[in-house]
Amino acid sequence: MAKRKKLYEGKAKVLYEGPEPGTIVQYFKDDTTAFNGDKKEIIDGKGVLTNRLSEYFMAGLNSAGIPTHFLKRLNMREQLVRYCEIIPIEIILRNFAAGSICSRLGLDEGTKLPRPVIEYCLKSDELNDPLVNEEHITSFGWASQQELDEIQFLVFRVNDFLSGVTYAAGIQLVDFKIEVGRVCDDAFQALIVVDEISPDSCRLWDIETGEKFDKDVFRQDLGSLLEAYTEIAHRLGVMQRPSKTIVKPTLIT
């Protein structure tokens, strides 16, 4: 990796100054965390998988007319992305009950929700990313009501796209988390999807068996996280499954 000025380091990624104005290099680490960093592990190769999977989803969104900060993948661990102003809100869309909503509302895991539900969290590790509502967001100036309306429209479009591509691979999109940023295009401000979309930020279950292929594998000690992410990559065609070499028996004369 070329020597660059570091702008920010988070739990799973490092951001560096990009090669051109208005760009950033996003580096995916092998670090894996859960429960706001209380559980940590370095899993060799995990950053390569999240980079490739996020490229697949982000490039797909761009092609579908849903704007993101993704420009191109640079190598196995790095992406070139657009610089933008991050709205300090994490947006969660839930299609099925899983994670914190089960304990908060007394729902059984896997319950199909009557309709997709959007929740908001303040992006703050220090405060453990607390749930906030639209009144909090507009009152504290994190986003305007017009931006919130645009964010909701954007999130539902992302849900439609992700649900379709995962369902075709035999995977149920249970929920996902995205972030949104502001950019200026031709003197007009626009909202785009930023950060990443990968099994680190989505819950992905096998449609037939309910087997989990996301970070819950790490959270709940369900097996190998690397194998789970690799299975997602294989099903989506991001990586080819290794071919089985057939050894022909040797005839002894």
Side-chain angles (χ1 to χ4, degrees):
M1 182 177 64
K3 186 69 174 177
R4 302 187 181 97
K5 179 182 178 182
K6 183 191 292 188
L7 303 176
Y8 170 81
E9 182 167 1
K11 294 190 286 289
K13 293 184 291 298
V14 185
L15 303 182
Y16 295 95
E17 191 175 66
E20 299 173 358
T23 65
I24 289 175
V25 173
Q26 185 167 255
Y27 175 88
F28 288 76
K29 302 194 294 184
D30 286 336
D31 299 52
T32 308
T33 64
F35 311 117
N36 201 29
D38 289 341
K39 184 176 184 179
K40 302 176 184 177
E41 188 176 333
I42 295 176
I43 300 176
D44 291 341
K46 182 250 189 181
V48 172
L49 283 166
T50 49
N51 181 27
R52 294 294 301 275
L53 286 165
S54 190
E55 173 198 13
Y56 174 85
F57 289 125
M58 289 290 200
L61 289 173
N62 284 340
S63 296
I66 303 169
T68 80
H69 72 163
F70 176 81
L71 295 173
K72 65 180 179 179
R73 179 169 59 86
L74 297 174
N75 52 51
M76 295 300 286
R77 289 185 179 272
E78 294 180 324
Q79 297 178 0
L80 186 68
V81 301
R82 293 182 66 181
Y83 173 83
C84 65
E85 178 189 358
I86 303 295
I87 294 175
I89 299 296
E90 295 179 345
I91 305 106
I92 302 164
L93 186 140
R94 302 183 184 274
N95 295 306
F96 295 82
S100 63
I101 196 172
C102 293
S103 57
R104 284 187 281 115
L105 302 183
L107 299 173
D108 292 331
E109 185 178 68
T111 300
K112 184 173 175 57
L113 302 179
R115 62 175 182 271
V117 173
I118 293 178
E119 295 182 329
Y120 304 99
C121 293
L122 177 64
K123 187 174 170 61
S124 171
D125 289 340
E126 295 77 13
L127 299 176
N128 202 24
D129 300 329
L131 276 171
V132 294
N133 59 33
E134 293 188 19
E135 187 69 17
H136 293 131
I137 294 169
T138 56
S139 294
F140 291 110
W142 299 322
S144 68
Q145 186 59 58
Q146 180 179 341
E147 287 177 323
L148 272 178
D149 294 341
E150 292 179 22
I151 286 171
Q152 288 185 9
F153 179 69
L154 194 64
V155 172
F156 283 127
R157 291 183 68 197
V158 171
N159 188 45
D160 288 343
F161 174 82
L162 294 181
S163 296
V165 297
T166 55
Y167 187 83
I171 300 164
Q172 190 73 69
L173 178 67
V174 175
D175 59 32
F176 64 88
K177 172 187 71 68
I178 63 170
E179 296 179 27
V180 172
R182 303 180 182 99
V183 294
C184 287
D185 285 324
D186 299 324
F188 292 98
Q189 183 172 278
L191 299 182
I192 62 174
V193 179
V194 301
D195 193 37
E196 70 174 285
I197 298 177
S198 77
D200 267 9
S201 58
C202 305
R203 282 190 172 89
L204 302 166
W205 298 353
D206 183 271
I207 289 176
E208 298 295 332
T209 67
E211 182 181 357
K212 298 176 179 180
F213 298 128
D214 51 70
K215 201 159 74 167
D216 275 350
V217 172
F218 175 71
R219 293 187 186 99
Q220 301 171 12
D221 297 315
L222 299 178
S224 167
L225 187 71
L226 201 64
E227 289 180 7
Y229 285 17
T230 301
E231 177 63 20
I232 293 292
H234 286 159
R235 292 198 188 191
L236 294 174
V238 174
M239 295 172 55
Q240 291 186 346
R241 294 185 187 275
S243 59
K244 296 181 180 179
T245 303
I246 299 176
V247 179
K248 295 183 179 180
T250 302
L251 297 178
I252 301 175
T253 59

